[in-house]
């Protein structure tokens, strides 16, 4: 009897990044769909996507509330007052459900912004797995001093997720 060909299983990192991309589909942001999944011991503790706080108008319905700020090197950055980032939403879901996340990992569709990275450092998240680089130069200084690890997850075709 002929053996059935073995299907290639995704690695655990690819598996969680796939879930992260699905979580991002819930995003209500008009500018970017971002998802986050907090994991410990191959179990999902919490998920989050970027959007307005629960019960408040979403950008999809009411439009974005964009503001501009300037980075220390003079770069202009745009953000939305209405939106909470995916990483923060995942952290709040974990807190609401009583899940300790110290030493856990987080999978994110994009590298965290500087504000989310600072919060992730303070929560004790050990590793940040990401699919797409986003403004890495803005977080490089923090990463020099922080214990947190930033790891890119590549898909089977060699691209970031």
């Amino acid at each position: 009897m002929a053996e059935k060909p073995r299907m290639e299983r995704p690695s655990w990192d690819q598996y969680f990044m796939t879930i992260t991309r699905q979580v991002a589909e819930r995003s209500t942001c008009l500018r970017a769909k971002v998802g986050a999944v907090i994991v410990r011991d191959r179990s999902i503790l919490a998920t989050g996507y970027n959007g307005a706080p629960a019960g408040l108008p979403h950008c999809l319905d009411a439009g974005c509330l964009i503001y501009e700020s300037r980075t220390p090197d003079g770069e202009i950055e745009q953000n939305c007052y209405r939106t909470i980032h995916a990483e923060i939403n995942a952290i709040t879901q974990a807190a609401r459900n009583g899940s300790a996340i110290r030493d856990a990992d987080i999978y994110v569709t994009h590298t965290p912004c500087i504000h989310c990275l600072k919060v992730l450092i303070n929560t004790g998240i050990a590793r940040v797995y990401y699919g797409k680089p986003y403004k890495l130069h803005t977080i490089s200084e923090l990463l020099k001093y922080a214990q947190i690890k930033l790891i890119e997850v590549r898909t089977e075709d060699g691209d970031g997720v």
Side-chain angles (χ1 to χ4, degrees):
M1 193 171 357
E3 277 189 44
K4 290 182 183 178
R6 288 190 65 182
M7 282 184 24
E8 282 294 317
R9 292 175 71 190
S11 70
W12 283 106
D13 293 339
Q14 292 168 336
Y15 171 74
F16 289 122
M17 286 305 298
T18 299
I19 294 169
T20 300
R21 288 192 312 270
Q22 191 62 45
V23 169
E25 290 300 312
R26 290 278 306 152
S27 170
T28 60
C29 178
L30 296 171
R31 300 178 336 134
K33 289 183 175 287
V34 180
V37 177
I38 301 175
V39 174
R40 178 185 290 107
D41 299 326
R42 298 181 180 163
S43 293
I44 295 172
L45 302 176
T47 65
Y49 52 87
N50 54 334
L56 298 182
H58 293 283
C59 295
L60 285 175
D61 304 320
C64 295
L65 293 174
I66 302 297
Y67 68 94
E68 289 186 351
S69 60
R70 197 172 294 275
T71 66
D73 64 358
E75 184 181 346
I76 294 177
E77 210 170 74
Q78 291 186 334
N79 289 289
C80 180
Y81 278 118
R82 197 179 302 282
T83 299
I84 298 174
H85 290 186
E87 300 92 328
I88 305 302
N89 274 325
I91 291 165
T92 58
Q93 184 184 81
R96 196 171 48 248
N97 294 329
S99 297
I101 61 172
R102 179 183 296 152
D103 298 323
D105 298 327
I106 189 167
Y107 290 79
V108 191
T109 54
H110 301 70
T111 50
C113 73
I114 192 165
H115 305 293
C116 288
L117 182 62
K118 290 185 287 188
V119 173
L120 291 169
I121 290 167
N122 271 1
T123 63
I125 289 283
R127 286 168 294 278
V128 177
Y129 292 90
Y130 69 93
K132 294 180 183 176
Y134 174 77
K135 296 186 178 182
L136 283 171
H137 66 283
T138 63
I139 60 174
S140 61
E141 187 69 19
L142 278 181
L143 291 170
K144 287 181 193 176
Y145 303 103
Q147 299 298 311
I148 200 166
K149 301 279 187 269
L150 196 63
I151 304 161
E152 184 174 9
V153 176
R154 295 210 160 280
T155 59
E156 292 166 357
D157 61 10
D159 289 336
V161 176

